[in-house]
Amino acid sequence: MTAREILSFQFGHYSNFIGTHWWNIQESNFSYDQDHPSDINHDVLYRQGETQRKEVTFTPRLLAVDLKGTLGYLSEQGNLYEECDSEESNSLWENKDLEVVTEPAPAKSPFIQSLEANAGESARKFDLESEVNSWVDYLVPRFHPRTINILKQYKHACTSQPFDIFNYGLNIWKNAQYSEDFCDKIRSYVEECDMMQGFHVILDSTDGFAGFGAACIQYLRDEYGKSILSFPAIDGKSSEPSAANLIKVVNTALCWQSIGEHSSLFSPLCAGTSGWLPSDVPREFANLTYNRDLKYHSSALLATALDTVTLRYRNKAYPASALSDLCADLNKLGRKAAAISLSLPFPMTVKRDLIDILDDFDGSPWTSLTPSCEITTDKNMQSIVLRGVLEERLKRPLHDARKQMAKPAYRCSTVHEMMTMYLAYSCHASATHLTVINEPLKIKNPFPKIFNNNVHANGDIAAWPVGEDVKSVPVMAGLHSGEGLSKMFSSLHDQAMKVKSIKKFHAFQDSGLEQDEYAECLNYLLDCKEAYEDHYV
């Protein structure tokens, strides 16, 4: 099957947490059974290559960027090819004249050690919540040597020289030597593609990576003119009110303005309700318990949503569906932003059918993962993906239908048909594109243990504790363009307005940001707020 390839980017530490979960999810959902091939076309996001030993490889088509001190045991050249033998590299020198000083190898997490030892299921015994300090501690796939890129000018978690200003990242991109090397790597990936359709970009929006990622997105738009779907991410962990929070707000505002101008579509990500407010509270899911202060936990929710919503154009059943179609559906009238939603697990109750579950839904069937944005069911342009609900769970057979027969939805013969009817009735004045895939989301290590004890191994919800290890779950996720985004832009604008002058934070001014540029950014947020208000249409 011919793939319409996408090149992915991850800019920043939290974005790499999200991306690592996303690639792990895809690896967990690979199918090696030729009699039951996967519904998902993995060639869209993966590339096939060859090692120096002529072994076939299948690696993410990815460029990931982080700071010094985040890689731990992982080499900047990735973990795909073996390094040259040290004896061969020293063959020109007399060993007796050499003094070799070696640093102790960075420690590997027990989970990574189990992967290398092919321990498999024994990894279940590990406490990943306490063992994960960086995204490399639970990274399953192998990376191509060009994938990992380190900004050597800054060190991770450094208090004396933090990478916390939008223009810091922008200025690194303006460094010709670095940007040319990075652009060469982009070009190498693009030239490998036969029918490239665009780019996925996950970027931290609260620090210097906001500027670096925004500059890269502008380059991608100018150089390639392909569709760009961007996900500016905010780590929604709890914090005390401080000047650092205002700096993050300014960075986020500048980031959204830039990517709003150059992306085809962008969808902000945050596991917190407010995003930029210190009093932020986590999003609640009925059958999950997670710690939003753990990047390892919150990023898994965001990655699950990304993996699901992108199935629209990674589905083998519809090879003509493209990223550009999604963007064109949702960015009407200059609306470049979309909210993202997640239902995890989709509440398939034990011994009940989809027709009854949909009939019993009270309120919104999804939870927003976009900061300061509640997704309404009415007046939306939206793209919904449902995975893992099989046709045999649709309704009862005719001889056992009973009350189901009185429902109009009983005439539906497929999950797609029934969900389409449900969305048509429940989402007033909305235009919905629906994608349905049979495959559930497979749950394997190192996905965090966040499901409550009332969730069965197959994802069914019980009214009592069952104590089973969850193996797979049905999931629904969506992208929505509607009125709720007006409140999001309004909230960000109100917080950004607290910084009356960037001179209050000299680092912005010293890095090259002008007051007029910041005023223009604030006006952009107001324009976006008005664009999503009902009276604007």
Side-chain angles (χ1 to χ4, degrees):
M1 174 181 291
T2 301
R4 305 184 69 179
E5 302 95 343
I6 290 175
L7 174 58
S8 300
F9 295 85
Q10 296 163 196
F11 297 117
H13 197 56
Y14 190 56
S15 292
N16 281 313
F17 266 84
I18 299 170
T20 298
H21 272 303
W22 190 0
W23 299 113
N24 289 349
I25 287 171
Q26 293 182 67
E27 297 264 342
S28 297
N29 286 268
F30 282 167
S31 175
Y32 301 98
D33 186 352
Q34 296 182 355
D35 296 329
H36 299 88
S38 173
D39 295 335
I40 303 168
N41 185 1
H42 295 286
D43 292 329
V44 174
L45 298 180
Y46 276 71
R47 64 180 292 278
Q48 184 171 311
E50 198 175 73
T51 68
Q52 296 169 343
R53 297 179 178 180
K54 305 300 181 182
E55 298 170 335
V56 175
T57 61
F58 202 52
T59 56
R61 191 179 296 105
L62 170 69
L63 287 168
V65 186
D66 213 326
L67 302 181
K68 286 192 303 183
T70 57
L71 292 187
Y73 72 91
L74 189 62
S75 166
E76 192 172 344
Q77 285 69 45
N79 51 5
L80 181 61
Y81 302 122
E82 296 180 0
E83 297 182 2
C84 295
D85 187 10
S86 59
E87 292 185 3
E88 293 181 4
S89 61
N90 292 332
S91 60
L92 297 178
W93 301 90
E94 293 289 341
N95 290 339
K96 63 181 181 180
D97 296 328
L98 286 178
E99 180 181 352
V100 179
V101 178
T102 60
E103 287 188 13
K108 298 178 181 179
S109 70
F111 174 74
I112 296 299
Q113 294 178 34
S114 74
L115 286 182
E116 294 181 349
N118 295 317
E121 292 300 308
S122 65
R124 291 183 177 276
K125 301 176 183 178
F126 301 144
D127 181 12
L128 290 165
E129 279 72 14
S130 62
E131 294 165 359
V132 169
N133 296 307
S134 179
W135 52 272
V136 300
D137 292 332
Y138 61 98
L139 177 67
V140 174
R142 294 195 167 192
F143 283 162
H144 188 276
R146 74 171 73 106
T147 291
I148 300 174
N149 300 267
I150 297 297
L151 302 185
K152 296 181 172 60
Q153 298 92 325
Y154 295 89
K155 187 175 181 179
H156 176 64
C158 177
T159 55
S160 61
Q161 190 183 4
F163 188 58
D164 62 345
I165 301 296
F166 179 88
N167 278 50
Y168 288 172
L170 198 63
N171 293 337
I172 290 180
W173 183 270
K174 291 178 180 177
N175 183 308
Q177 182 177 357
Y178 188 90
S179 61
E180 286 177 6
D181 178 63
F182 194 77
C183 292
D184 285 342
K185 294 182 178 182
I186 297 175
R187 192 173 301 109
S188 297
Y189 273 125
V190 172
E191 290 175 351
E192 292 173 351
C193 300
D194 296 321
M195 297 178 60
M196 185 171 189
Q197 60 174 313
F199 306 93
H200 286 157
V201 183
I202 312 173
L203 70 160
D204 291 3
S205 66
T206 59
D207 56 24
F209 282 107
F212 187 88
C216 181
I217 290 171
Q218 182 175 356
Y219 167 80
L220 295 175
R221 169 63 63 194
D222 295 341
E223 185 70 16
Y224 297 103
K226 302 286 186 179
S227 298
I228 305 172
L229 178 55
S230 302
F231 299 99
I234 298 173
D235 182 2
K237 66 180 181 180
S238 57
S239 63
E240 297 295 328
S242 65
N245 285 329
L246 286 179
I247 291 176
K248 292 178 179 179
V249 167
V250 174
N251 288 329
T252 300
L254 294 169
C255 176
W256 288 15
Q257 178 195 18
S258 181
I259 66 175
E261 292 174 355
H262 300 107
S263 295
S264 306
L265 187 72
F266 75 96
S267 182
L269 300 174
C270 184
T273 303
S274 304
W276 34 78
L277 299 177
S279 58
D280 200 6
V281 296
R283 294 287 185 182
E284 293 185 1
F285 292 81
N287 299 292
L288 299 181
T289 302
Y290 69 100
N291 183 352
R292 60 87 179 261
D293 289 335
L294 286 180
K295 292 182 176 68
Y296 168 65
H297 273 195
S298 62
S299 59
L301 298 178
L302 305 181
T304 301
L306 296 188
D307 185 67
T308 303
V309 296
T310 58
L311 288 175
R312 168 174 172 173
Y313 45 86
R314 298 194 290 128
N315 186 358
K316 288 180 180 178
Y318 301 98
S321 183
L323 173 59
S324 58
D325 298 332
L326 169 67
C327 297
D329 285 350
L330 299 183
N331 63 10
K332 307 292 186 184
L333 302 173
R335 296 176 168 185
K336 288 289 193 76
I340 192 165
S341 68
L342 179 67
S343 177
L344 176 71
F346 184 78
M348 293 298 295
T349 311
V350 174
K351 296 182 180 180
R352 299 196 71 207
D353 304 308
L354 180 63
I355 187 173
D356 297 318
I357 291 166
L358 294 178
D359 195 43
D360 291 344
F361 265 145
D362 184 18
S364 177
W366 40 64
T367 300
S368 174
L369 288 179
T370 292
S372 298
C373 178
E374 297 304 324
I375 303 170
T376 62
T377 55
D378 298 341
K379 301 177 183 178
N380 278 320
M381 304 289 291
Q382 55 194 15
S383 177
I384 308 292
V385 178
L386 175 65
R387 66 183 303 176
V389 178
L390 301 179
E391 303 292 345
E392 51 261 35
R393 297 292 299 276
L394 185 66
K395 58 185 180 182
R396 297 287 176 181
L398 195 60
H399 67 272
D400 192 30
R402 299 179 184 177
K403 294 181 180 180
Q404 289 184 358
M405 291 184 65
K407 300 176 182 179
Y410 192 79
R411 293 191 294 270
C412 297
S413 57
T414 65
V415 172
H416 190 281
E417 190 177 351
M418 188 174 290
M419 279 299 302
T420 299
M421 174 178 281
Y422 167 77
L423 293 169
Y425 278 100
S426 62
C427 300
H428 174 69
S430 295
T432 304
H433 182 285
L434 175 65
T435 303
V436 173
I437 287 185
N438 289 332
E439 291 183 26
L441 178 72
K442 296 177 184 175
I443 303 298
K444 298 180 181 179
N445 277 310
F447 198 90
K449 309 299 182 184
I450 56 178
F451 296 99
N452 292 347
N453 62 5
N454 66 319
V455 182
H456 279 276
N458 66 348
D460 278 0
I461 308 301
W464 53 86
V466 294
E468 298 179 4
D469 287 331
V470 178
K471 303 290 187 181
S472 65
V473 290
V475 182
M476 184 170 69
L479 288 169
H480 314 257
S481 177
E483 184 182 8
L485 289 155
S486 175
K487 297 178 181 178
M488 176 190 73
F489 282 109
S490 177
S491 174
L492 180 57
H493 174 268
D494 292 346
Q495 289 298 307
M497 278 294 292
K498 293 182 178 180
V499 181
K500 301 295 184 182
S501 171
I502 59 168
K503 293 180 180 178
K504 182 178 179 181
F505 298 102
H506 63 86
F508 282 105
Q509 191 173 30
D510 293 346
S511 64
L513 181 66
E514 300 288 344
Q515 182 65 37
D516 290 345
E517 293 177 304
Y518 187 59
E520 183 181 342
C521 174
L522 295 176
N523 290 333
Y524 167 82
L525 296 178
L526 283 180
D527 290 342
C528 291
K529 168 185 173 293
E530 293 179 358
Y532 286 92
E533 293 176 345
D534 269 350
H535 64 77
Y536 183 84
V537 180

Short mmCIF file of all heavy atoms in Angstrom, two decimals, residues 320-359:
data_model
loop_
_atom_site.label_atom_id
_atom_site.label_comp_id
_atom_site.label_asym_id
_atom_site.label_seq_id
_atom_site.Cartn_x
_atom_site.Cartn_y
_atom_site.Cartn_z
N ALA A 320 -7.31 7.42 0.72
CA ALA A 320 -7.33 8.76 0.11
C ALA A 320 -7.50 9.86 1.15
O ALA A 320 -7.29 11.04 0.84
CB ALA A 320 -8.45 8.84 -0.92
N SER A 321 -7.88 9.50 2.38
CA SER A 321 -8.05 10.51 3.43
C SER A 321 -6.69 11.11 3.79
O SER A 321 -5.70 10.39 3.95
CB SER A 321 -8.68 9.87 4.66
OG SER A 321 -8.91 10.83 5.66
N ALA A 322 -6.65 12.42 3.91
CA ALA A 322 -5.36 13.10 4.08
C ALA A 322 -5.42 14.10 5.22
O ALA A 322 -6.49 14.56 5.64
CB ALA A 322 -4.96 13.81 2.79
N LEU A 323 -4.24 14.46 5.71
CA LEU A 323 -4.11 15.49 6.73
C LEU A 323 -4.71 16.80 6.26
O LEU A 323 -5.34 17.53 7.04
CB LEU A 323 -2.62 15.66 7.08
CG LEU A 323 -2.24 16.80 8.02
CD1 LEU A 323 -2.94 16.66 9.36
CD2 LEU A 323 -0.73 16.84 8.22
N SER A 324 -4.54 17.11 4.99
CA SER A 324 -5.08 18.36 4.45
C SER A 324 -6.60 18.40 4.55
O SER A 324 -7.19 19.48 4.73
CB SER A 324 -4.65 18.54 3.00
OG SER A 324 -5.06 17.44 2.21
N ASP A 325 -7.27 17.24 4.44
CA ASP A 325 -8.73 17.18 4.57
C ASP A 325 -9.16 17.58 5.98
O ASP A 325 -10.11 18.34 6.16
CB ASP A 325 -9.24 15.78 4.25
CG ASP A 325 -8.95 15.36 2.83
OD1 ASP A 325 -8.86 16.25 1.95
OD2 ASP A 325 -8.80 14.14 2.58
N LEU A 326 -8.46 17.03 6.97
CA LEU A 326 -8.77 17.38 8.36
C LEU A 326 -8.61 18.88 8.59
O LEU A 326 -9.48 19.53 9.17
CB LEU A 326 -7.86 16.59 9.30
CG LEU A 326 -7.87 17.01 10.77
CD1 LEU A 326 -9.23 16.71 11.40
CD2 LEU A 326 -6.77 16.30 11.55
N CYS A 327 -7.49 19.42 8.15
CA CYS A 327 -7.22 20.85 8.36
C CYS A 327 -8.26 21.71 7.65
O CYS A 327 -8.76 22.70 8.20
CB CYS A 327 -5.82 21.19 7.88
SG CYS A 327 -4.49 20.37 8.79
N ALA A 328 -8.61 21.34 6.43
CA ALA A 328 -9.59 22.12 5.66
C ALA A 328 -10.96 22.09 6.30
O ALA A 328 -11.71 23.08 6.24
CB ALA A 328 -9.66 21.58 4.23
N ASP A 329 -11.31 20.98 6.95
CA ASP A 329 -12.62 20.87 7.61
C ASP A 329 -12.73 21.80 8.80
O ASP A 329 -13.82 22.30 9.11
CB ASP A 329 -12.87 19.43 8.07
CG ASP A 329 -13.22 18.49 6.93
OD1 ASP A 329 -13.45 18.99 5.80
OD2 ASP A 329 -13.24 17.27 7.16
N LEU A 330 -11.62 22.02 9.51
CA LEU A 330 -11.68 22.70 10.81
C LEU A 330 -11.16 24.12 10.81
O LEU A 330 -11.38 24.85 11.78
CB LEU A 330 -10.92 21.88 11.86
CG LEU A 330 -11.43 20.46 12.12
CD1 LEU A 330 -10.63 19.81 13.23
CD2 LEU A 330 -12.90 20.46 12.48
N ASN A 331 -10.44 24.56 9.77
CA ASN A 331 -9.88 25.91 9.82
C ASN A 331 -10.66 26.90 8.95
O ASN A 331 -10.09 27.79 8.33
CB ASN A 331 -8.39 25.91 9.46
CG ASN A 331 -8.13 25.43 8.03
OD1 ASN A 331 -9.06 25.27 7.22
ND2 ASN A 331 -6.86 25.22 7.70
N LYS A 332 -11.97 26.75 8.92
CA LYS A 332 -12.82 27.66 8.17
C LYS A 332 -12.83 29.05 8.81
O LYS A 332 -12.63 29.20 10.02
CB LYS A 332 -14.25 27.13 8.11
CG LYS A 332 -14.40 25.71 7.59
CD LYS A 332 -14.06 25.61 6.11
CE LYS A 332 -14.36 24.21 5.59
NZ LYS A 332 -13.95 24.04 4.17
N LEU A 333 -13.08 30.07 7.99
CA LEU A 333 -13.26 31.45 8.47
C LEU A 333 -12.07 31.95 9.29
O LEU A 333 -12.21 32.74 10.21
CB LEU A 333 -14.53 31.55 9.32
CG LEU A 333 -15.84 31.13 8.63
CD1 LEU A 333 -16.98 31.12 9.63
CD2 LEU A 333 -16.16 32.07 7.47
N GLY A 334 -10.87 31.46 8.96
CA GLY A 334 -9.68 31.91 9.66
C GLY A 334 -9.51 31.32 11.04
O GLY A 334 -8.65 31.75 11.81
N ARG A 335 -10.33 30.34 11.37
CA ARG A 335 -10.21 29.69 12.68
C ARG A 335 -9.12 28.63 12.61
O ARG A 335 -9.36 27.53 12.14
CB ARG A 335 -11.54 29.06 13.08
CG ARG A 335 -12.66 30.08 13.27
CD ARG A 335 -13.97 29.37 13.58
NE ARG A 335 -14.99 30.30 14.05
CZ ARG A 335 -16.19 29.92 14.48
NH1 ARG A 335 -16.51 28.63 14.49
NH2 ARG A 335 -17.06 30.81 14.89
N LYS A 336 -7.96 28.95 13.12
CA LYS A 336 -6.82 28.03 13.02
C LYS A 336 -6.69 27.09 14.21
O LYS A 336 -5.89 26.17 14.18
CB LYS A 336 -5.52 28.84 12.86
CG LYS A 336 -5.34 29.50 11.51
CD LYS A 336 -5.06 28.45 10.45
CE LYS A 336 -4.57 29.10 9.16
NZ LYS A 336 -3.17 29.55 9.27
N ALA A 337 -7.45 27.34 15.28
CA ALA A 337 -7.32 26.52 16.49
C ALA A 337 -8.45 25.51 16.58
O ALA A 337 -9.55 25.74 16.07
CB ALA A 337 -7.31 27.40 17.74
N ALA A 338 -8.17 24.39 17.22
CA ALA A 338 -9.18 23.36 17.48
C ALA A 338 -8.93 22.78 18.86
O ALA A 338 -7.78 22.61 19.28
CB ALA A 338 -9.13 22.27 16.41
N ALA A 339 -10.00 22.48 19.56
CA ALA A 339 -9.89 21.81 20.86
C ALA A 339 -9.82 20.31 20.65
O ALA A 339 -10.37 19.78 19.68
CB ALA A 339 -11.09 22.17 21.74
N ILE A 340 -9.15 19.63 21.55
CA ILE A 340 -9.01 18.18 21.44
C ILE A 340 -9.71 17.52 22.62
O ILE A 340 -9.67 18.02 23.75
CB ILE A 340 -7.52 17.77 21.36
CG1 ILE A 340 -7.38 16.30 20.95
CG2 ILE A 340 -6.80 18.06 22.67
CD1 ILE A 340 -5.97 15.93 20.51
N SER A 341 -10.40 16.42 22.34
CA SER A 341 -11.17 15.73 23.38
C SER A 341 -10.75 14.27 23.47
O SER A 341 -10.16 13.72 22.54
CB SER A 341 -12.66 15.81 23.07
OG SER A 341 -12.98 15.05 21.90
N LEU A 342 -11.09 13.66 24.60
CA LEU A 342 -10.75 12.25 24.82
C LEU A 342 -11.81 11.60 25.69
O LEU A 342 -12.27 12.19 26.68
CB LEU A 342 -9.38 12.15 25.50
CG LEU A 342 -8.88 10.74 25.84
CD1 LEU A 342 -8.60 9.94 24.57
CD2 LEU A 342 -7.62 10.81 26.70
N SER A 343 -12.21 10.40 25.34
CA SER A 343 -13.03 9.54 26.19
C SER A 343 -12.25 8.25 26.38
O SER A 343 -12.16 7.42 25.48
CB SER A 343 -14.39 9.26 25.52
OG SER A 343 -15.15 8.37 26.29
N LEU A 344 -11.63 8.10 27.58
CA LEU A 344 -10.75 6.97 27.86
C LEU A 344 -11.08 6.37 29.22
O LEU A 344 -10.96 7.07 30.24
CB LEU A 344 -9.29 7.42 27.83
CG LEU A 344 -8.24 6.38 28.20
CD1 LEU A 344 -8.12 5.33 27.09
CD2 LEU A 344 -6.88 7.03 28.45
N PRO A 345 -11.49 5.11 29.24
CA PRO A 345 -11.93 4.35 28.08
C PRO A 345 -13.33 4.76 27.66
O PRO A 345 -14.09 5.27 28.49
CB PRO A 345 -11.92 2.90 28.59
CG PRO A 345 -12.15 3.03 30.07
CD PRO A 345 -11.52 4.32 30.49
N PHE A 346 -13.67 4.57 26.40
CA PHE A 346 -15.04 4.79 25.96
C PHE A 346 -15.92 3.83 26.75
O PHE A 346 -15.66 2.62 26.79
CB PHE A 346 -15.17 4.54 24.46
CG PHE A 346 -16.53 4.84 23.91
CD1 PHE A 346 -16.91 6.15 23.68
CD2 PHE A 346 -17.43 3.82 23.65
CE1 PHE A 346 -18.17 6.44 23.16
CE2 PHE A 346 -18.69 4.10 23.15
CZ PHE A 346 -19.06 5.41 22.91
N PRO A 347 -16.98 4.33 27.41
CA PRO A 347 -17.66 3.54 28.46
C PRO A 347 -18.56 2.43 27.93
O PRO A 347 -19.79 2.51 27.99
CB PRO A 347 -18.48 4.61 29.19
CG PRO A 347 -18.75 5.66 28.16
CD PRO A 347 -17.52 5.70 27.30
N MET A 348 -17.94 1.37 27.44
CA MET A 348 -18.69 0.17 27.07
C MET A 348 -18.93 -0.64 28.34
O MET A 348 -18.02 -1.31 28.86
CB MET A 348 -17.92 -0.64 26.04
CG MET A 348 -17.80 0.04 24.69
SD MET A 348 -19.38 0.37 23.88
CE MET A 348 -19.97 -1.30 23.58
N THR A 349 -20.13 -0.55 28.87
CA THR A 349 -20.46 -1.21 30.13
C THR A 349 -20.63 -2.72 29.92
O THR A 349 -21.07 -3.16 28.86
CB THR A 349 -21.75 -0.61 30.71
OG1 THR A 349 -21.64 0.81 30.69
CG2 THR A 349 -21.97 -1.07 32.13
N VAL A 350 -20.28 -3.47 30.95
CA VAL A 350 -20.36 -4.93 30.89
C VAL A 350 -21.77 -5.37 30.50
O VAL A 350 -22.77 -4.89 31.04
CB VAL A 350 -19.98 -5.54 32.25
CG1 VAL A 350 -20.21 -7.05 32.25
CG2 VAL A 350 -18.52 -5.23 32.58
N LYS A 351 -21.86 -6.28 29.52
CA LYS A 351 -23.11 -6.90 29.07
C LYS A 351 -24.13 -5.90 28.54
O LYS A 351 -25.33 -6.17 28.54
CB LYS A 351 -23.73 -7.72 30.22
CG LYS A 351 -22.87 -8.90 30.67
CD LYS A 351 -23.56 -9.69 31.76
CE LYS A 351 -22.69 -10.88 32.19
NZ LYS A 351 -23.32 -11.69 33.26
N ARG A 352 -23.63 -4.75 28.08
CA ARG A 352 -24.56 -3.79 27.48
C ARG A 352 -24.09 -3.49 26.07
O ARG A 352 -22.91 -3.63 25.73
CB ARG A 352 -24.63 -2.51 28.30
CG ARG A 352 -25.14 -2.73 29.72
CD ARG A 352 -25.56 -1.42 30.36
NE ARG A 352 -26.79 -0.91 29.77
CZ ARG A 352 -27.11 0.38 29.74
NH1 ARG A 352 -26.27 1.27 30.22
NH2 ARG A 352 -28.25 0.78 29.21
N ASP A 353 -25.02 -3.03 25.23
CA ASP A 353 -24.74 -2.76 23.83
C ASP A 353 -24.57 -1.27 23.59
O ASP A 353 -25.02 -0.43 24.38
CB ASP A 353 -25.89 -3.30 22.97
CG ASP A 353 -26.13 -4.78 23.20
OD1 ASP A 353 -25.16 -5.54 23.11
OD2 ASP A 353 -27.29 -5.15 23.51
N LEU A 354 -23.96 -0.96 22.46
CA LEU A 354 -23.70 0.44 22.12
C LEU A 354 -24.99 1.25 22.05
O LEU A 354 -25.03 2.40 22.48
CB LEU A 354 -22.95 0.51 20.78
CG LEU A 354 -22.61 1.92 20.27
CD1 LEU A 354 -21.64 2.62 21.24
CD2 LEU A 354 -21.98 1.86 18.88
N ILE A 355 -26.06 0.63 21.54
CA ILE A 355 -27.33 1.36 21.40
C ILE A 355 -27.84 1.85 22.75
O ILE A 355 -28.35 2.98 22.87
CB ILE A 355 -28.38 0.48 20.68
CG1 ILE A 355 -29.64 1.28 20.38
CG2 ILE A 355 -28.69 -0.77 21.48
CD1 ILE A 355 -30.63 0.53 19.52
N ASP A 356 -27.67 1.06 23.79
CA ASP A 356 -28.12 1.45 25.12
C ASP A 356 -27.18 2.48 25.76
O ASP A 356 -27.61 3.40 26.44
CB ASP A 356 -28.22 0.22 26.03
CG ASP A 356 -29.25 -0.78 25.52
OD1 ASP A 356 -30.34 -0.34 25.09
OD2 ASP A 356 -28.97 -1.98 25.54
N ILE A 357 -25.89 2.29 25.54
CA ILE A 357 -24.90 3.21 26.12
C ILE A 357 -25.07 4.61 25.56
O ILE A 357 -25.05 5.60 26.30
CB ILE A 357 -23.48 2.66 25.88
CG1 ILE A 357 -23.26 1.40 26.72
CG2 ILE A 357 -22.43 3.71 26.21
CD1 ILE A 357 -22.05 0.60 26.33
N LEU A 358 -25.26 4.72 24.26
CA LEU A 358 -25.46 6.03 23.64
C LEU A 358 -26.77 6.65 24.11
O LEU A 358 -26.85 7.87 24.32
CB LEU A 358 -25.46 5.89 22.12
CG LEU A 358 -24.13 5.46 21.48
CD1 LEU A 358 -24.29 5.33 19.95
CD2 LEU A 358 -23.01 6.43 21.80
N ASP A 359 -27.79 5.83 24.28
CA ASP A 359 -29.09 6.34 24.72
C ASP A 359 -29.03 6.88 26.14
O ASP A 359 -29.78 7.80 26.51
CB ASP A 359 -30.13 5.22 24.63
CG ASP A 359 -31.55 5.74 24.70
OD1 ASP A 359 -31.84 6.76 24.04
OD2 ASP A 359 -32.37 5.14 25.42
#
